[in-house]
Amino acid sequence: MATFPKRTHTCGELRAAHVGKDVTLTGWVQTRRDLGGVIFVDLRDRFGKTQILFAPQVDQAAYEGAKDIRSEYVLSVTGRVAPRPEGTENPELPTGTVDVEVHSLVVLNKAETPPFAIEDDIDVNEDIRLRYRYLDLRRPVMQQNLATRHRGYQITRSYFDRNDFVEVETPILMKSTPEGARDYLVPSRIHHGKFYALPQSPQTYKQILMVSGFDRYFQIVKCFRDEDLRADRQPEFTQIDVEMSFVDEEDVMSTAEGLAADIFKGILGVDVPRPFERMSYREAMNRFGSDKPDTRFGMEIRDCSEVVAGSGFRVFQETVAKGGIVGAICVPGLADSTRNQMDNLTALAKSMGAGGLVYLKVHGDTIECSAEKFLKPEEVKAIAVWAGAVAGDLVLLISGPWNKALTILGGLRLEMAGRLNLIPRDAWNLLWVTDFPLLEYSEEEKRYVAVHHPFTAPHPDDLALLDSAPDKVRARAYDLVLNGNEIAGGSIRIHSTEMQSRMFRLLGIDDESAKLKFGFMLDAFKYGAPPHGGIAFGLDRIMMLLTGSRSIRDVIAFPKTSSAMSLMDDAPSGVDPRQLDELHIRIV
RNA sequence: GGGGUCGUAGCUCAGUUUGGUUAGAGCGCCUGCCUGUCACGCAGGAGGUCGAGGGUUCGAGUCCCUUCGGCCCCGCCA
């Protein structure tokens, strides 16, 4: 049943070659320009914009009707494609050489004036955009972002399909597990007092699929973590989840590189050089102060510990004696920073956890040092030389335990590079970070916790250290880093019941609770688990980077605010008491 | 949990430092004029719970307390 004229073309389609044709367009009114005797309207759909023209000499009724249309009205218009008069073409629009002279106007729906303009460069607060997300998503830039994301899905599915992977859906309602992030819980109506959890990742399921013989699995899957949000972190996010059997690190990394290369080629047209660069966790920390180093610029960290170990400055001396590190970065051209600027930098360092900040202002032949009371001139000079400083540079020194001091220096490095505009915009630096530690000691929990997750296999060369020095054991884990952002992470897994039980014990999970929490997995492993490993990509983050977005909210159709609210539909919200009764839940 | 910052017209903001006439601007919106505009132009007009609640004061957008919300960061995120 035709209730209105259906479109014959999209709003991005018409060209000079269509001149003379009768066409029907449907879309939204971008702008209306009433010149008195003639009315121009830009009609918009997701394919583009076309200027349509209403004039009494074309059609009196359509012209009269056009006087009442307003922004965002929904139209179906039929008319003849006409060339624009010489000199009135619009080179900004692909359709800018033609008009559609409308002889039949159907207003499919009216619209209230939107709270912000439906165009790319709007200056409007994000909460307004989120409240009216349906309008925000009409903006071309948002439509392109979601289209790019769609392209990412297609490339991913095509890539894995070509490589004999099977896409399997795993449950959204699963068992809550104690390790890792906080779970989102879902109460069971049928089983009073019991809860499902939403998956932090399909980790256990995909490993069990390996036991089942699906030796190449992938899934584009929502994951849920009830932790605080960031610009690049949402409580629900999408992973490209991958697991493979009978493989080692090289197989998984090579597979992942293939996908990354396809995505870069398919979305940006960029050929990324393979294989990707690799760097050990230790090297990444030592040089960049981060386990996800941004290698697009220099300003690398220099270890000054040996230079200052014998100095009279007790803070440095004791740090080195205790096995810590005194590290430096050399910031080009900032030797003339004011006292106030240095105070601000010191405050910044302290906010990152530093005890203090020592700095050297390297002038022509003199060096001004904030700790010159404690350091001899030749020591100051030696630091400057070791840090690679030249006249005009500012050297920042941080001392402390290895991880902490380097992390702070890494933070300062990023901050200063951002301020000095040292980060190239058009570079795509992909690299693997490998040889992560398997475990780290948690002061808070007074036990070792898994750096990656408890299913990660220890490095075979380090097995002897598992009991004697657990924090020295390397993991068979790898992270993929793009321009200083972790975009994928994975590992070779433990596939023997014995090793898995041993790992649980190391993590302070006794046999009984291991059986309670992960018994199904330990049982599965008894029945012929193949060696296996995998990786998961953060799809939202990748799309954020590939579209040049500031936040993953710009590549997610309906994101949450930083307090995990959905402003459009006002979730989370209260529920009917009867719903709680059914669940035997009481609010306290 | 902590730190920073913001909240005034539909939108983006000024006004808050030092309390004082009727709270302003740009864009948008409405009306009229205008036949080649495309940020159309011109003329006129409407539009305010100053986030909310309480307090101080003769008087609060402005000062105090409480609270709600946005963004960024630390912790957290196996």
Side-chain angles (χ1 to χ4, degrees):
Chain A
M1 188 175 69
T3 55
F4 61 89
K6 304 280 179 65
R7 73 175 171 207
T8 58
H9 297 75
T10 70
C11 292
E13 198 174 343
L14 297 177
R15 300 287 186 274
H18 295 91
V19 165
K21 282 194 165 145
D22 280 318
V23 300
T24 299
L25 302 180
T26 51
W28 286 262
V29 173
Q30 177 75 35
T31 49
R32 167 179 164 279
R33 293 179 293 276
D34 184 345
L35 273 62
V38 63
I39 296 171
F40 294 103
V41 166
D42 291 334
L43 197 65
R44 184 197 69 241
D45 63 17
R46 74 185 173 96
F47 300 97
K49 285 190 291 193
T50 300
Q51 176 166 280
I52 60 179
L53 178 155
F54 299 88
Q57 65 268 32
V58 176
D59 188 286
Q60 186 67 37
Y63 172 71
E64 293 299 326
K67 288 181 176 173
D68 293 326
I69 63 178
R70 294 291 182 268
S71 290
E72 301 307 314
Y73 275 32
V74 187
L75 308 183
S76 168
V77 294
T78 303
R80 180 156 297 172
V81 181
R84 294 202 190 182
E86 181 103 23
T88 65
E89 300 91 346
N90 184 350
E92 305 289 315
L93 285 181
T95 60
T97 58
V98 296
D99 294 323
V100 174
E101 298 180 341
V102 178
H103 53 70
S104 172
L105 164 69
V106 180
V107 175
L108 298 175
N109 214 338
K110 297 185 172 195
E112 289 186 15
T113 303
F116 51 84
I118 311 301
E119 57 194 30
D120 281 352
D121 293 313
I122 53 170
D123 184 14
V124 63
N125 284 318
E126 197 171 1
D127 52 331
I128 302 288
R129 290 175 49 203
L130 291 176
R131 181 160 292 122
Y132 300 95
R133 190 60 161 179
Y134 35 86
L135 298 178
D136 192 35
L137 292 178
R138 277 186 199 166
R139 298 163 55 231
V141 63
M142 296 301 286
Q143 301 231 326
Q144 284 154 19
N145 285 355
L146 293 187
T148 297
R149 191 176 168 119
H150 161 81
R151 183 58 39 215
Y153 300 147
Q154 306 316 313
I155 292 167
T156 299
R157 291 210 159 92
S158 158
Y159 175 79
F160 284 119
D161 184 52
R162 267 184 284 126
N163 286 283
D164 277 335
F165 282 71
V166 178
E167 182 170 8
V168 180
E169 290 181 79
T170 51
I172 290 294
L173 297 176
M174 64 175 285
K175 185 183 178 71
S176 178
T177 52
E179 292 287 299
R182 195 176 293 117
D183 280 329
Y184 274 100
L185 294 177
V186 179
S188 165
R189 175 184 57 83
I190 297 170
H191 304 281
H192 298 159
K194 295 195 172 174
F195 294 83
Y196 301 96
L198 305 182
Q200 298 173 28
S201 87
Q203 185 64 35
T204 51
Y205 291 113
K206 70 174 174 177
Q207 289 193 242
I208 283 170
L209 284 170
M210 294 304 108
V211 178
S212 302
F214 291 93
D215 63 344
R216 292 183 154 213
Y217 143 94
F218 86 102
Q219 185 182 190
I220 299 174
V221 61
K222 276 286 182 72
C223 302
F224 305 86
R225 294 177 191 175
D226 190 4
E227 298 292 349
D228 287 347
L229 292 80
R230 290 286 187 279
D232 63 352
R233 252 166 44 194
Q234 285 271 308
E236 56 176 313
F237 60 98
T238 304
Q239 280 190 349
I240 302 170
D241 198 44
V242 182
E243 198 76 7
M244 304 163 74
S245 291
F246 308 109
V247 294
D248 58 25
E249 291 88 331
E250 298 303 322
D251 301 300
V252 179
M253 290 161 90
S254 163
T255 298
E257 289 190 8
L259 174 64
D262 273 13
I263 288 174
F264 268 88
K265 184 68 178 173
I267 289 177
L268 295 177
V270 168
D271 289 297
V272 291
R274 289 180 63 187
F276 300 164
E277 194 188 327
R278 294 191 191 183
M279 191 181 292
S280 71
Y281 166 77
R282 222 178 154 76
E283 182 181 352
M285 288 301 296
N286 280 328
R287 290 174 57 193
F288 300 99
S290 170
D291 60 0
K292 43 180 168 47
D294 191 337
T295 56
R296 288 176 295 173
F297 63 101
M299 216 197 286
E300 293 188 20
I301 297 166
R302 299 304 302 266
D303 182 353
C304 298
S305 303
E306 298 206 8
V307 183
V308 301
S311 83
F313 189 20
R314 188 184 285 179
V315 175
F316 284 0
Q317 205 184 54
E318 286 181 356
T319 297
V320 176
K322 277 189 286 190
I325 188 174
V326 180
I329 56 170
C330 175
V331 188
L334 285 191
D336 291 328
S337 299
T338 63
R339 176 60 194 262
N340 186 41
Q341 287 171 321
M342 293 316 302
D343 285 349
N344 286 340
L345 261 191
T346 304
L348 178 69
K350 284 184 176 171
S351 77
M352 299 180 196
L357 175 70
V358 172
Y359 57 86
L360 273 56
K361 294 175 175 176
V362 182
H363 303 295
D365 38 9
T366 61
I367 299 174
E368 193 183 332
C369 175
S370 63
E372 54 200 352
K373 266 191 283 186
F374 311 106
L375 290 166
K376 297 191 196 77
E378 58 267 30
E379 287 169 345
V380 170
K381 183 123 196 284
I383 293 169
V385 169
W386 187 247
V390 297
D393 290 352
L394 174 70
V395 177
L396 303 177
L397 288 158
I398 296 284
S399 66
W402 183 79
N403 192 304
K404 190 176 180 184
L406 288 169
T407 301
I408 294 163
L409 283 161
L412 290 173
R413 174 178 174 269
L414 285 177
E415 174 68 25
M416 301 317 286
R419 291 187 191 182
L420 295 172
N421 263 324
L422 296 180
I423 306 175
R425 294 253 156 255
D426 50 353
W428 299 104
N429 282 23
L430 284 154
L431 87 150
W432 291 105
V433 177
T434 61
D435 294 321
F436 282 89
L438 182 70
L439 303 162
E440 65 184 351
Y441 191 75
S442 164
E443 288 297 338
E444 195 182 327
E445 300 187 48
K446 301 292 176 207
R447 66 178 181 99
Y448 283 100
V449 295
V451 169
H452 193 57
H453 59 50
F455 314 112
T456 298
H459 197 290
D461 295 348
D462 298 346
L463 288 179
L465 298 169
L466 264 179
D467 295 314
S468 55
D471 51 338
K472 296 269 196 305
V473 177
R474 288 168 296 169
R476 297 181 70 180
Y478 31 82
D479 277 0
L480 183 58
V481 176
L482 170 60
N483 293 353
N485 295 271
E486 181 194 332
I487 59 164
S491 63
I492 298 302
R493 327 296 185 189
I494 296 166
H495 65 278
S496 88
T497 314
E498 292 73 26
M499 178 56 81
Q500 190 62 67
S501 297
R502 192 174 170 196
M503 184 61 58
F504 284 142
R505 282 195 296 276
L506 270 171
L507 294 169
I509 304 170
D510 59 47
D511 289 351
E512 196 181 335
S513 41
K515 198 174 170 188
L516 210 60
K517 303 292 184 187
F518 297 108
F520 63 103
M521 201 161 168
L522 293 169
D523 284 345
F525 279 12
K526 291 175 188 165
Y527 295 96
H532 63 282
I535 191 164
F537 290 78
L539 181 76
D540 312 280
R541 248 179 231 181
I542 292 171
M543 291 304 148
M544 172 181 86
L545 295 168
L546 261 46
T547 58
S549 302
R550 282 178 43 255
S551 152
I552 59 171
R553 292 186 296 272
D554 283 343
V555 294
I556 294 173
F558 303 104
K560 307 274 189 289
T561 68
S562 67
S563 62
M565 304 245 298
S566 176
L567 295 179
M568 186 182 73
D569 52 14
D570 198 31
S573 57
V575 295
D576 192 299
R578 279 175 305 182
Q579 291 176 278
L580 291 180
D581 288 347
E582 278 192 328
L583 295 167
H584 291 77
I585 283 179
R586 196 155 33 94
I587 309 293
V588 292

